[in-house]
Amino acid sequence: MSWRKVSVAGHFGEWLQGRMGPEGPVALVTVACPDLGVSAPGEGAPPFEPGQLERFARALGIAPRFPGASRDAPLGGGAGASTATLVALARSAGFDGSAEALAAACLAVEGASDPLMYPAPDTLLWASREGHILRELPPPPACTILGGFWGPPQRTDAADNGFDDVSDLVLDWERATRDRDLGRAAALASASAGRCAARRGPQGDPTSGLARELGALGWLRAHTGSARGLIFAPGAVPRHGAAALAEAGFAGVLTFGTGAP
């Protein structure tokens, strides 16, 4: 079979994640990351059981034949590896349907998904356990993220709704991004990350302290997974920043630009 060559960008944790009200759905605003992702066809075996791929193909209405995939986003890192792999497999196998159909198929496999099937995933308030858009948002202001992976990997559990209410942060986020206020956006991301750290751990996370030491505007994290990042204005990452993260135990240290001017 002839496969299409496709690449799907991952993400790097979330700007915000939590419940939309005490009993509301888990929702997130993802951090778009062009430097991590999945390509297909590739040499690696997909990280799914045959039954999962059959269910995925059935949901898409295509034959259950998929290529391998190459991945530089680690599983359990909070970088969208699972969703990006499924999207890459589907498109490589010839699926050319809607993003909504892809989201529903990803949900059928894992019970949760990131919005990586959409062209601008960081402009969406995304119900990750329901696989649909709650609201369209302005894009985050342009910035540079210095980050890496700290702590153990953690795969998403679709039944896990143990997050704080962030509906207040989402309201402020919409205002901050509309006004292109990076400082305010970074503070809101830090607030969401801090709530998650207080509730979910793990203990000893050095990211907020590194943000202060290195003069970052704020910090962010994967609310499930090990991705952690410091938020800087474009071009403002200090020269010794990457070395400081490596010394603090971060793996896979990287710097990337995200957001829109």
Side-chain angles (χ1 to χ4, degrees):
M1 182 173 180
S2 177
W3 310 109
R4 295 178 184 171
K5 292 183 178 180
V6 300
S7 296
V8 177
H11 68 108
F12 196 78
E14 294 83 32
W15 291 104
L16 310 172
Q17 182 170 332
R19 304 289 293 269
M20 290 302 292
E23 303 299 325
V26 175
L28 59 84
V29 181
T30 198
V31 180
C33 178
D35 290 10
L36 296 174
V38 177
S39 59
E43 297 179 357
F48 303 102
E49 299 294 331
Q52 290 178 297
L53 292 176
E54 290 173 7
R55 189 158 63 249
F56 185 56
R58 189 163 55 248
L60 294 173
I62 62 176
R65 295 191 296 272
F66 297 103
S70 298
R71 183 178 61 249
D72 55 19
L75 292 169
S82 293
T83 298
T85 298
L86 289 171
V87 174
L89 293 178
R91 289 176 175 163
S92 183
F95 178 75
D96 57 4
S98 68
E100 291 80 5
L102 261 177
C106 290
L107 207 70
V109 172
E110 296 197 288
S113 78
D114 295 301
L116 303 179
M117 61 290 297
Y118 289 87
D122 58 354
T123 65
L124 307 174
L125 180 64
W126 179 251
S128 57
R129 272 63 168 167
E130 299 174 1
H132 66 86
I133 299 168
L134 293 173
R135 192 183 310 166
E136 294 188 5
L137 301 167
C143 61
T144 300
I145 306 298
L146 168 66
F149 299 91
W150 182 89
Q154 183 183 8
R155 301 290 293 271
T156 297
D157 176 0
D160 176 11
N161 294 316
F163 296 89
D164 282 22
D165 181 357
V166 294
S167 54
D168 59 326
L169 301 183
V170 170
L171 181 62
D172 284 349
W173 176 263
E174 191 164 9
R175 294 171 181 152
T177 52
R178 184 180 61 240
D179 294 342
R180 318 311 297 149
D181 187 342
L182 178 58
R184 182 60 183 155
L188 293 166
S190 301
S192 183
R195 291 180 190 182
C196 182
R199 175 185 284 261
R200 300 169 66 88
Q203 295 294 318
D205 188 335
T207 315
S208 61
L210 285 166
R212 290 190 297 272
E213 292 170 17
L214 295 174
L217 296 172
W219 66 290
L220 53 80
R221 61 169 284 169
H223 291 61
T224 301
S226 56
R228 304 286 190 272
L230 310 184
I231 306 163
F232 293 91
V237 177
R239 291 184 179 181
H240 63 290
L245 265 63
E247 186 176 349
F250 282 63
V253 174
L254 75 165
T255 304
F256 65 93
T258 193

